[in-house]
Structures are given as structure tokens and as C-alpha cells.
Amino acid sequence: MGTQPQIRSFVAVGDSFTEGMSDLMPDGSYRGWADVLAARLGARSPDGFRYANLAVRGKLITQIVDEQLPAAAALGADLVTLVGGLNDALRPGYELTRVCEQLEKAVATLAPSCGTLMLMKTPGRRGPVFDRYRPRMQELFAEIDAIGERHGALVVDLYSARSLADQRMWADDRLHLTAEAHARVAEAVWQRLGLPAESDWEAPMPPSPAARWGSRRAADVRFARAHLFPWIGRRLTGRSSGDGRFGAQMDPATRTAFWVGPGAGGAGPVSGWSRLPDESGPTASRGEPTSAEEV
């Protein structure tokens, strides 16, 4: 049996998928798979685990590269996850070649700076709206596989999991995952890292009665009013849901990233973790970092 990886630091880079929408907490904040994974990793390494989530909703791949990569690379983490490009694929002016060039640039920057770099083929909801973009996603995911192979990055395939395509795994906005789905993504990443399985993240949801026609149409109307029309409005005016936002562990004043950690206990949700002291100077080893600078 192989040795399990020792991960004492984790940086998450990306858009709303990694920020945690729509795993809504009672205080109005989002948790998401990255926070769930960080809490589990922190429980394995109680003596100094570090975590930074730099992801921001609505970001295109060029914005991720420009705004998050320098900070992520400077932290020198044991594990970095990079998810991006889907927001680009949903835009009318989408160009696969340009997006892949940016992804390649991101991976080439991050891979040498961390212990393990993980990419993802994100899940897709069943339904006619998503089907319109399915060819774009499949082309993008084929390129992600190739980029990962060229740079020695791991790739976790969430797209092929039928369980995550189930409409019950998606929030009312039909674009972001529920808490249950985020927990499954965390388990998928956990297992891809070679850690022992704690649940079957690909297990199908239990059968449920089909919704009546009237209920489905009422849900469609609520979705259009609350989510679709505002999304279209932002596209027409050039705005993004991420405008003016920064990652949870990004200092807006200095545009630098910082670590949070669970403390001596090494357990508990990320929402209860504290900011760790800045450590300037050369990085002695991964896990001993320097200060770093829509979906």
C-alpha cells in the first residue's frame, strides 16, 4: 500500500465553483468543497495546517491568471487546485484557443511552485440549457486532460459522474452546486489525492417522484426572475457578480494573500479558523510560506 500524501498547506484558485456557491451558511457566507476539503486536511495535520481560498465568483480565466496566480504561486503550498474557463465557455465571444492558452500559462506557473497541482473537469447539470454548452465543455475538458498530462498535474473528473448531473445536486440558480454536491466534490478530490475513501461520491441520489407539470413551470418562472434575467442584464452591461470582490484570504488593501489555520486543535470548520501571522523571507519548505503578493 502506497504512502498517503502529507498535505500541510492548500491554496484554492478559481471562480464561483471554488468560492463555494451555493453552499450557503447561516451567516450568509458560502462554504463549498474547498473549505470542506481544507477542514478534513486540517484534521489530519494538527500541527500547523495552512489554507487560503483566493477564488472569486464570475471570474474569467484571464482574470484568474492576472489576479490570483501571483499570490497563489508565492505561497508555495503542498496542494493547489485550479478551476477556471467555464465562465468563458458561457460567453458569446468564447474562444477555446485563447482560454487554453491562459490555462496553460496558469498551470506552467503553478506546477513548479507547489507540491501537487490539481485541475478539474467540472460537473454539468442535466437539462436543455446546459446541453447548449455541452460541446464547448467537452472540448475544454479534453484540453484540460492534455494540459494536466504535459505538466504533471492531477485531474479529477467530475463531469462524468452521473450523480453530480442530477438536478437535485444544483441550487435554485441552476448554475451552482448544493451543499450535498459540494461535499461530494470534496470527497472526489480527497480520493484523487490518494487518501482513503470515506464515502461513495458517485453514488446516485435515491429515486424521487417526478414533479408535476405546473410545479416545473412555476419553478421555471421563479428561476427566470431571480437568476436568469439578472444574469442576462449583467452580460449586456458588461458587469460581473465578482466585480469589487476579493478571495476570502486575499487582503484588498495590499492585494496579497494570507493563510488561515485551525490552530492547535487541528479540527473544526474553516469559518472558525484564524488568520495566521505573516512570515516574510525565503520559504524554507512548502508549508512555511512567504507573504504573497462566474461562474
Side-chain angles (χ1 to χ4, degrees):
M1 185 169 65
T3 303
Q4 295 176 10
Q6 183 67 22
I7 299 173
R8 298 184 58 199
S9 53
F10 168 32
V11 175
V13 175
D15 50 34
S16 60
F17 175 77
T18 301
E19 183 185 349
M21 297 174 73
S22 286
D23 184 2
L24 191 63
M25 304 300 289
D27 65 357
S29 64
Y30 292 105
R31 179 177 52 183
W33 67 265
D35 279 13
V36 173
L37 178 65
R40 292 175 62 177
L41 292 171
R44 294 182 74 243
S45 302
D47 56 340
F49 184 80
R50 295 173 169 86
Y51 171 57
N53 191 330
L54 311 184
V56 178
R57 68 195 71 175
K59 294 300 182 181
L60 303 175
I61 186 60
T62 299
Q63 294 172 311
I64 292 173
V65 169
D66 292 343
E67 298 169 12
Q68 299 176 35
L69 248 66
L75 288 175
D78 292 329
L79 170 66
V80 175
T81 58
L82 167 64
V83 185
L86 182 57
N87 282 327
D88 298 81
L90 298 177
R91 301 296 177 95
Y94 171 68
E95 296 178 7
L96 176 64
T97 300
R98 181 183 57 81
V99 170
C100 291
E101 288 174 350
Q102 290 295 307
L103 280 170
E104 185 97 39
K105 177 181 178 181
V107 172
T109 299
L110 290 174
S113 72
C114 66
T116 298
L117 176 62
M118 179 171 290
L119 313 177
M120 297 187 195
K121 297 190 286 188
T122 49
R125 183 181 185 272
R126 296 193 194 109
V129 175
F130 176 80
D131 287 344
R132 175 183 177 184
Y133 297 98
R134 192 177 298 276
R136 291 185 179 185
M137 291 186 66
Q138 291 172 339
E139 289 179 336
L140 177 62
F141 293 157
E143 293 295 330
I144 287 174
D145 277 331
I147 292 171
E149 183 174 357
R150 283 196 294 272
H151 294 273
L154 299 178
V155 179
V156 60
D157 184 5
L158 307 171
Y159 178 77
S160 299
R162 293 181 59 83
S163 61
L164 293 176
D166 191 307
Q167 293 183 3
R168 291 170 292 175
M169 291 288 185
W170 295 78
D172 290 341
D173 64 5
R174 305 183 183 181
L175 190 61
H176 300 107
L177 300 178
T178 63
E180 165 68 18
H182 276 289
R184 290 181 180 232
V185 172
E187 177 65 23
V189 177
W190 179 270
Q191 293 182 25
R192 187 69 181 89
L193 289 169
L195 297 168
E198 296 187 5
S199 63
D200 182 2
W201 66 273
E202 295 184 275
M205 294 280 281
S208 64
R212 295 179 179 273
W213 183 90
S215 298
R216 296 199 305 272
R217 298 294 77 77
D220 289 342
V221 171
R222 290 194 299 270
F223 160 72
R225 289 176 176 172
H227 304 290
L228 181 59
F229 294 155
W231 183 84
I232 293 174
R234 290 194 298 271
R235 298 289 79 75
L236 293 176
T237 57
R239 293 178 293 116
S240 167
S241 58
D243 289 347
R245 293 182 179 273
F246 296 86
Q249 279 74 57
M250 182 75 80
D251 189 326
T254 63
R255 305 296 177 94
T256 60
F258 59 87
W259 295 108
V260 294
V270 169
S271 59
W273 291 8
S274 301
R275 179 169 177 167
L276 299 176
D278 174 62
E279 297 182 10
S280 300
T283 301
S285 63
R286 292 190 180 96
E288 297 293 335
T290 63
S291 174
E293 273 265 83
E294 174 161 68
V295 162

